Amino acid sequence: MDLDVLGQRTRLYTGGRAFDRRLPAVVLVHGAGHDHSVWNHQARHLAHHGFGVLAPDLPGHGASAGQPLASIEALADWLAAVLDAVGVERATLAGHSMGSLIALEAAARHPARAAALALIGSAAPMPVAPVLQEAAETDRPKAHGMINQWSYTPASHLGASPAPGLWLPGANARLMGHQHAGVLATDLAACNAYQHGQQAAAEIRCPTLLIYGERDQMTPARAARPLREAFTAVPGGTRVVTLPATGHALMAEAPDGVTDALRGFLAAR
Amino acid sequence: MTTTPYGRETLALHAGQSPDPTHGSRAAPIHFTTSYVFPDADRAAELFNLERPGHVYSRISNPTNAVLEERVAALEDGVGAVACASGQAALHLAIATLMGAGGHIVASRSLYGGSHNLLGYTLPRFGIATTFVDPRDPDAWRAAVRPETRLFFGESLGNPGLDVLDIPSVSAIAHEHRVPLLVDATLVSPCLQRPLELGADLVMHSATKFLGGHGVAVGGVVVDGGRFDWEASGLFPTLTEPYDGFHGMDFAEESPVTAFLLRTRREGLRDFGACLSPMNAFQLLQGLETLPLRMRAHVDNARAVVAHLDGHAVVERVSYPGLESHPDHDLAARLLPFGCGSILSFELKGGRPAGRAFIEALKLFSHLANVGDAKSLVIHPASTTHFRMSAADLAASGIGEGTVRLSVGLESAGDLIADLDRGLHAVAKLLKE
């Protein structure tokens, strides 16, 4: 569905079922240069198992109007505005990669809005290689190639997609190519600039799930550890799920693994 | 190609397949099964509802077919593909996904006869009209567009004159009118041309031909480039409005870059049922493994044959885009830099009798109605596929009474030339009598 958020048309994918705000709400936030469609399987599953799902296209991404926002903090406030627009007080905030930083910051800035937090392929800080940032600004196909190279495991570079007949590297490159010029560069700069992640994590008191890809090169386990260890105030500690043989493109490479981890986390609550 | 770090030779061997996790089989297993056991009732519902990826029934998807689909999509640099029972099934599936009764297609008039039959005679019965245009005339493409036009269609190399489709120009005209360009790339394969990189939106193959290469399996495939913006076009309600026949899905909202494939599989394969046998998929995969090697050898042999025929005493002219005399020679140099394939035609002096004499003298070339086999093939249209047509009607189709079409295979070039010489000598003898 399309909704007005802060005066701009915003695409909210609801997983194939009309959004019902009486159900426990789950917001799924995509990463840099992507749109809501990275969540197809998880959104459809949760929407058909008792949750109200909102997978927005961030401003300037996909079918949402406007310009991409330049900071994680601004995107976190925008996410709260999405909840206002649909009339939802609290939701589980889940995000992938850049989207995980947005969910984290939103939960820290607006703790009353976060029923729970799920971060997928996350690290903070999330430095972006200068060569990738430069390519995103000057040579988008080259940047898309680098992201493909680093997002998938070596096995996934040759395909064998869980979804029959899809060529994942092609689909990911085309999804990034579908975004307007400047979107990816703005997103990557926002990730690189965000320095509040560990402090935000220390403020989180809601149940928190961290999902990692065992072979993730973009946010490898070593880089992810400081963030993981920063969640010191979560009652009972964070729940951590590591998906075997999976890179940074977790929802594409291990759709069932991500779905089951999210569903298990939500059900345990 | 920056999408993947791997080159086409590697993709032709590996794309779409991991070694079988259960038994370690290196070759792609043949999943000869109609259906797939659901672990429980919940999982069954989730598979049907696309909450989880996987296979339900082999008319809609099959693990062996999926390897073929992914491999061809990788070679074409698309986002995915759907395999079909034949190239004709692939063409029909693409059209039926994009339009219904009242739709209109603008197509090159230089098409494979089977495609011409579908567009010119059969689809009108279902309310879909086609205007055929000279593929070399940009104004003709533009002038043929109607409010109900939903697709441009042409072949990378047209039939029978081997016209080279100017994909960048034709796709630009299609996009001016908010419709996609579908290219039949059967005669070039992704080793000689990737139409999606040149501006096409969809690509189809008769996999029966070069992709398989062995001439043992009929099959087809349609590949989506994922670049066409269906929502922005506003002309494709089949992709941008909820479909009651499949969970109320709005395919373009579901997935902007794979919307076409979603509907093609979830409606087209499901309801029209032109699915590929997994045995055929396996056989086509065996062929694909050597596609890059074979296409280079096909082109080398074709060039040798062309050089021998061009200027021969009993040959009026040779039609091959690699020749400077071909009207599309410059375009071919730009769009087909690795070669113009291995299909060529030439006109014998002496008309129909010469054509018959030539064919009957050959021993190595197989006389049959196919192209793209590893074995060399020959046909004389005026005495076979077009035998009922008058000289005038033949000429209108771009075929002479002495036209011979060759599909140059992978035999030793010297043996092929020696065989052609047998035919040429027979024609020379006929001309003397």
Side-chain angles (χ1 to χ4, degrees), chain B residues 116-418:
Chain B
H116 194 277
N117 286 340
L118 176 66
L119 298 177
Y121 300 109
T122 309
L123 285 179
R125 197 155 58 77
F126 297 89
I128 294 174
T130 296
T131 302
F132 295 99
V133 300
D134 177 352
R136 295 191 177 102
D137 182 355
D139 291 337
W141 288 96
R142 203 172 270 116
V145 175
R146 302 178 190 170
E148 63 271 26
T149 300
R150 294 294 176 271
L151 181 68
F152 276 30
F153 175 58
E155 296 178 357
S156 292
L157 284 174
N159 185 56
L162 300 169
D163 330 48
V164 178
L165 187 67
D166 187 347
I167 295 172
S169 299
V170 174
S171 65
I173 297 167
H175 297 160
E176 281 171 23
H177 295 90
R178 296 180 289 140
V179 301
L181 169 65
L182 167 64
V183 170
D184 181 342
T186 298
L187 296 193
V188 291
S189 91
C191 292
L192 299 182
Q193 183 185 71
R194 277 198 280 257
L196 300 175
E197 290 179 348
L198 298 173
D201 303 286
L202 305 163
V203 176
M204 57 147 290
H205 289 272
S206 167
T208 314
K209 312 299 190 306
F210 289 104
L211 296 190
H214 33 47
V216 305
V218 173
V221 63
V222 57
V223 183
D224 183 0
R227 288 189 179 88
F228 194 82
D229 191 332
W230 307 104
E231 283 200 10
S233 163
L235 295 175
F236 296 92
T238 55
L239 298 179
T240 60
E241 292 180 2
Y243 174 43
D244 289 340
F246 191 73
H247 309 296
M249 186 175 278
D250 172 336
F251 295 93
E253 183 189 56
E254 188 77 11
S255 176
V257 300
T258 64
F260 171 84
L261 292 173
L262 269 173
R263 182 136 187 166
T264 299
R265 188 180 300 282
R266 299 296 160 180
E267 177 194 59
L269 281 184
R270 183 194 65 181
D271 296 354
F272 301 125
C275 58
L276 182 68
S277 160
M279 175 58 90
N280 284 32
F282 173 80
Q283 289 161 332
L284 293 169
L285 280 167
Q286 304 318 296
L288 264 183
E289 292 195 349
T290 56
L291 181 69
L293 297 169
R294 286 187 289 108
M295 291 313 292
R296 283 195 285 272
H298 275 296
V299 168
D300 288 347
N301 273 1
R303 285 172 173 160
V305 165
V306 165
H308 186 69
L309 292 174
D310 192 31
H312 192 281
V314 303
V315 174
E316 291 269 14
R317 63 182 171 277
V318 179
S319 182
Y320 184 67
L323 280 174
E324 282 187 22
S325 58
H326 192 279
D328 296 327
H329 176 70
D330 291 345
L331 190 60
R334 192 154 52 87
L335 302 186
L336 292 159
F338 302 110
C340 301
S342 73
I343 314 299
L344 61 103
S345 62
F346 60 98
E347 186 70 21
L348 286 167
K349 293 175 182 171
R352 287 190 203 227
R356 291 177 63 92
F358 178 84
I359 295 270
E360 286 173 5
L362 299 180
K363 298 192 186 313
L364 205 49
F365 278 80
S366 302
H367 183 202
L368 52 76
N370 191 23
V371 293
D373 197 307
K375 302 172 185 71
S376 289
L377 315 175
V378 63
I379 198 156
H380 175 225
S383 65
T384 55
T385 52
H386 297 66
F387 80 97
R388 285 193 178 85
M389 292 171 75
S390 67
D393 289 344
L394 282 175
S397 303
I399 300 168
E401 290 194 284
T403 297
V404 172
R405 186 186 70 190
L406 300 181
S407 174
V408 180
L410 303 177
E411 298 90 344
S412 304
D415 294 338
L416 294 176
I417 287 169

Side-chain angles (χ1 to χ4, degrees), chain A residues 107-217:
Chain A
R109 291 164 86 87
H110 308 282
R113 315 302 297 271
L117 184 62
L119 309 183
I120 302 167
S122 190
M126 193 179 278
V128 173
V131 65
L132 174 57
Q133 182 68 46
E134 185 186 342
E137 290 165 5
T138 60
D139 185 350
R140 292 170 67 205
K142 184 179 174 188
H144 301 162
M146 289 179 186
I147 289 174
N148 265 0
Q149 173 100 37
W150 296 328
S151 288
Y152 293 99
T153 63
S156 293
H157 279 299
L158 290 168
S161 159
L166 285 191
W167 168 240
L168 292 181
N172 194 45
R174 230 39 56 77
L175 180 58
M176 292 186 283
H178 202 63
Q179 312 306 320
H180 295 296
V183 167
L184 180 64
T186 303
D187 288 351
L188 294 177
C191 290
N192 193 59
Y194 181 61
Q195 298 300 322
H196 189 246
Q198 291 174 37
Q199 193 176 330
E203 297 167 13
I204 299 299
R205 287 180 168 72
C206 63
T208 297
L209 167 69
L210 305 172
I211 306 177
Y212 293 106
E214 180 192 42
R215 312 268 322 252
D216 188 340
Q217 295 180 70

